[in-house]
Amino acid sequence: FGTGNTVSFLPDDRVVYDGAKWCRWSAGNVRRVCELLPDGNGNIDLTQQSNIYKVLNKKIIGELFYWGIGRKWVQCSGGETYIFRGATYGNNIWVAFSTSHGLWWSDDGKNWTQSSTSGVSSLSFRFAYYLNGIWIAGGDSAGCWWSTDGKVWTSGTGISVNTDSARHSIYANGLYILTTSRGMWWSTDGKAWTQGTGNNTSYVMNTVSYNNGLFVACSTGHGMWWSTDGKAWTQRAGATTNTFYKIAY
């Protein structure tokens, strides 16, 4: 935002202030970072031009970085020129998910190795979560994949690779729940998936949350949906044509 000006951001965008305006920064898409050292209180001043991400035409070349307290940002080894959407830590390993270059893993957050699982390296992933003892990952026309170690991946059954786009997943009340470009899906083990029932089976569902016996999911252009069992879904009355990207409790 600026004086009399607005900037549009997409749901998955991150933003950074360049000293004059807010710019789009997809998570991990950093070209270089200069001297980002914290002050005595552990804070980093992003208003100093010498200590800020360098933005080139609002598009930034993707690289992975790590942060150690009192250290400079250091470029990681592996995937230096690729765009990464994010990274997750679980079960003593880091898993990073990239655009068009699959899934990566690291034991220390510094040195990264691309998963060698056949069919994974060219896919575009939106997330990777460690849920109830296994890794679950999915993305754009990538279906849903699972792994016990974050390194070797297996395509989940039921949901289609190269057709279905997985967007978000949680584990709650004994079930894995998945939002996709074709409605809601559920699984008892995170490996075999079944499409939920309800009129959302052709809708783009974005995120899902759970609390106190109720699952709630949001969609693109079709409002909010709820379920008591994670399998049968009902559209919430009111706001049935609205778009919601994020939901949390």
Side-chain angles (χ1 to χ4, degrees):
F1 295 89
T3 305
N5 297 317
T6 61
V7 178
S8 298
F9 297 107
L10 298 174
D12 291 331
D13 286 345
R14 303 296 187 268
V15 294
V16 63
Y17 188 68
D18 71 357
K21 61 184 181 300
W22 291 98
C23 300
R24 181 177 291 111
W25 167 52
S26 296
N29 298 358
V30 182
R31 188 169 189 270
R32 75 186 178 97
V33 180
C34 297
E35 302 293 332
L36 275 170
L37 296 177
D39 60 22
N41 296 320
N43 299 315
I44 299 173
D45 184 2
L46 291 181
T47 64
Q48 299 298 316
Q49 187 63 30
S50 61
N51 287 349
I52 199 165
Y53 305 111
K54 303 303 181 181
V55 181
L56 299 178
N57 297 322
K58 297 185 181 180
K59 296 186 68 175
I60 313 173
I61 300 174
E63 297 173 355
L64 280 170
F65 292 83
Y66 78 97
W67 173 253
I69 298 299
R71 298 180 183 176
K72 302 177 184 179
W73 284 88
V74 179
Q75 186 176 13
C76 294
S77 173
E80 290 87 348
T81 60
Y82 298 154
I83 295 176
F84 290 83
R85 283 174 161 159
T88 306
Y89 184 80
N91 198 32
N92 299 315
I93 194 172
W94 288 92
V95 173
F97 39 102
S98 72
T99 299
S100 302
H101 291 92
L103 297 165
W104 296 64
W105 60 271
S106 172
D107 292 321
D108 59 11
K110 306 173 186 180
N111 302 290
W112 291 83
T113 302
Q114 188 178 33
S115 172
S116 60
T117 300
S118 177
V120 168
S121 62
S122 62
L123 295 177
S124 179
F125 284 87
R126 284 178 174 264
F127 67 84
Y129 302 126
Y130 187 70
L131 302 171
N132 192 43
I134 65 171
W135 284 93
I136 302 291
D140 302 325
S141 299
C144 189
W145 296 70
W146 62 272
S147 172
T148 57
D149 61 7
K151 303 175 183 180
V152 179
W153 294 84
T154 301
S155 178
T157 60
I159 189 169
S160 176
V161 177
N162 300 321
T163 300
D164 295 322
S165 295
R167 306 176 77 85
H168 182 229
S169 185
I170 63 171
Y171 178 82
N173 200 31
L175 285 180
Y176 294 88
I177 304 295
L178 184 70
T179 64
T180 78
S181 56
R182 288 201 302 125
M184 304 298 299
W185 294 68
W186 61 271
S187 172
T188 57
D189 59 7
K191 305 173 184 180
W193 293 90
T194 301
Q195 191 174 32
T197 59
N199 292 330
N200 66 13
T201 54
S202 62
Y203 297 162
V204 175
M205 305 299 292
N206 293 315
T207 55
V208 60
S209 188
Y210 175 83
N211 180 66
N212 196 29
L214 189 69
F215 293 94
V216 180
C218 57
S219 73
T220 298
H222 298 281
M224 308 293 296
W225 295 71
W226 60 271
S227 172
T228 56
D229 62 5
K231 303 175 182 180
W233 292 84
T234 302
Q235 190 177 34
R236 179 187 178 275
T240 56
T241 60
N242 292 79
T243 293
F244 299 94
Y245 291 107
K246 303 288 185 181
I247 186 168
Y249 181 85

